[in-house]
Amino acid sequence: MAMLIVARLLSGVALGSALGTFTMYTVEVTTPKARNSLGGMAQMAIIFGIMLSQTSSLGLSRPPLWRLLFAFSGVLSVLNMALLYFCVESPKWLAMNGKLADARDSLQQLRRGTDCTAEFEQLTSSVMINNTSELATGANNGNSTKTSSVIDVMLGRTPDNLRHQLVVTIVVMASQQTSGISGVSFYSSTLFNSISKPSESDAFTIPTLAQILASVLAISGTLVMPLCMVLATYIGRRPLMIWSHTVMALCCVLISVGSIVGLNALTITMVFVYYAAFFVGPGPIPWVCPNEMTPTYAVGAVCAVGGSVNYVIIFVMGLVFSPLLDALGGYTFLIFGVANLLSALFCLLYLPETKDCQVADVAKLHSVGLHSVLGAKYR
């Protein structure tokens, strides 16, 4: 047991570091139009990993084969380390560290077959502006570091006022989990069994069939995730978040109604619609938002705060969902319905639209403290 705890701790720290680095790297190497599609790959990979682990456990869950599941994660990590050898370094990171020639070569590798002169000039100018701002602030505060720590961001000790970016990141990351998705994922069998108690004489009960369909939906959601990310590229991040949370709120109400009055078909159908709405908006978009509206020097710290909030709420939801389901029964999802409505309202008032926008422009526009984006000058 002690070995499992230590391994879980180490893998958790590694996961947080890798995920934060991945989302930051994606923003720095992609164009604004492709950013959402590739940035959402983080959530898509998580969903695919869950599906892969659940599928593998069907034949490896008994002793001593369950140990192979843990070993398989190590194999994937070694494979990933080998593949990273072929990964191009971030041009923005190279430029920030004064390696302009290497930054140009790296950008040319990423934009193979095209003239990237204009993009490189824009990149270097944005880095120079950031460095100038940081040096000015460092002269006043006695701190000339190129990046801001989590403490600096939390206390407001940054060249720009990043209160709006920090609050939005925390809330959208939290809303991804307060929507109830983790509870449904962790306790799908408990949920479906609460709808219809299985009989020992039944080979295929409603919960059994529902769990099979949920697995099919997870696979389908993984496959259609790229389409959802393309949809966000054309429609915009903010409208998708608003409508997705609204649809999820409606689904939560209908799940409760179906559970209370005994309409099993309605409950199961709404669970699937609920999953589909999650895949469109709250699934991939929160992982992309911090990188699209935060200056380079603070994006790592803001992502760290947002990711920590996300994982803490996943842990809390794993603890409270089952007791809530036991205590409230069908009324449980009314709580998540209210949470989704509040999330939709927050996105309407505070979430900036970053579709087809340069990160520097969005960061400059919204680095003025917490404010409503409904005002004309913030559109």
Side-chain angles (χ1 to χ4, degrees):
M1 184 62 69
M3 293 176 66
L4 288 177
I5 293 174
V6 173
R8 182 65 173 176
L9 177 63
L10 293 176
S11 62
V13 172
L15 172 63
S17 303
L19 186 58
T21 305
F22 171 80
T23 53
M24 191 190 313
Y25 177 82
T26 304
V27 169
E28 293 181 354
V29 301
T30 56
T31 61
K33 286 187 176 181
R35 190 185 307 133
N36 191 76
S37 299
L38 292 178
M41 291 293 288
Q43 184 66 20
M44 179 180 174
I46 291 173
I47 295 172
F48 181 79
I50 293 174
M51 182 200 70
L52 183 62
S53 63
Q54 291 177 341
T55 304
S56 302
S57 66
L58 294 177
L60 299 175
S61 58
R62 63 183 186 277
L65 297 180
W66 62 266
R67 293 171 173 81
L68 295 177
L69 292 176
F70 292 92
F72 184 57
S73 298
V75 172
L76 289 178
S77 298
V78 172
L79 177 62
N80 191 47
M81 289 174 61
L83 292 175
L84 283 173
Y85 174 78
F86 303 97
C87 189
V88 178
E89 183 56 85
S90 164
K92 178 171 286 188
W93 184 87
L94 291 170
M96 288 178 60
N97 287 272
K99 303 177 181 180
L100 297 182
D102 293 337
R104 188 182 187 90
D105 293 339
S106 179
L107 185 62
Q108 190 61 61
Q109 291 185 58
L110 294 166
R111 309 287 188 266
R112 196 166 298 174
T114 61
D115 184 6
C116 59
T117 303
E119 184 179 0
F120 179 73
E121 292 177 353
Q122 186 178 28
L123 170 66
T124 53
S125 63
S126 65
V127 169
M128 290 177 62
I129 292 174
N130 283 337
N131 288 344
T132 301
S133 177
E134 291 162 26
L135 286 173
T137 306
N140 294 328
N141 297 341
N143 181 10
S144 59
T145 57
K146 288 188 176 182
T147 59
S148 297
S149 66
V150 171
I151 300 298
D152 292 334
V153 171
M154 296 291 289
L155 297 180
R157 299 190 306 224
T158 53
D160 304 291
N161 188 338
L162 303 180
R163 188 63 55 193
H164 187 84
Q165 288 90 329
L166 181 63
V167 172
V168 169
T169 298
I170 291 174
V171 174
V172 296
M173 282 292 195
S175 65
Q176 185 190 66
Q177 302 304 327
T178 57
S179 65
I181 190 65
S182 294
V184 175
S185 300
F186 290 162
Y187 296 103
S188 58
S189 59
T190 304
L191 174 64
F192 291 134
N193 280 324
S194 68
I195 297 172
S196 175
K197 297 298 182 182
S199 172
E200 293 182 2
S201 60
D202 294 336
F204 292 98
T205 61
I206 289 178
T208 303
L209 293 174
Q211 290 175 53
I212 294 173
L213 289 175
S215 299
V216 173
L217 180 68
I219 298 172
S220 302
T222 303
L223 295 177
V224 302
M225 182 70 81
L227 297 179
C228 298
M229 291 182 285
V230 171
L231 189 65
T233 302
Y234 287 97
I235 297 179
R237 283 66 153 160
R238 184 166 167 266
L240 274 184
M241 286 288 287
I242 295 172
W243 284 109
S244 295
H245 276 298
T246 303
V247 171
M248 292 170 71
L250 178 61
C251 289
C252 288
V253 173
L254 293 177
I255 289 172
S256 292
V257 171
S259 301
I260 294 169
V261 303
L263 295 176
N264 297 337
L266 175 63
T267 302
I268 294 174
T269 301
M270 286 302 102
V271 169
F272 294 154
V273 176
Y274 173 90
Y275 267 115
F278 176 81
F279 289 141
V280 171
I285 293 178
W287 295 103
V288 184
C289 285
N291 302 274
E292 293 188 331
M293 60 184 180
T294 308
T296 304
Y297 64 84
V299 69
V302 173
C303 286
V305 174
S308 299
V309 169
N310 188 277
Y311 286 124
V312 167
I313 297 183
I314 288 177
F315 174 74
V316 173
M317 292 303 301
L319 291 178
V320 304
F321 185 85
S322 186
L324 277 177
L325 197 60
D326 293 337
L328 301 178
Y331 294 97
T332 303
F333 273 86
L334 291 179
I335 299 175
F336 297 126
V338 173
N340 277 293
L341 281 178
L342 293 176
S343 298
L345 179 62
F346 180 87
C347 292
L348 175 66
L349 295 176
Y350 297 105
L351 181 62
E353 179 54 69
T354 57
K355 181 175 76 76
D356 297 341
C357 298
Q358 295 291 338
V359 176
D361 296 335
V362 177
K364 180 180 179 181
L365 184 64
H366 296 284
S367 296
V368 291
L370 189 63
H371 59 275
S372 172
V373 297
L374 296 179
K377 64 180 180 179
Y378 297 117
R379 292 175 188 167

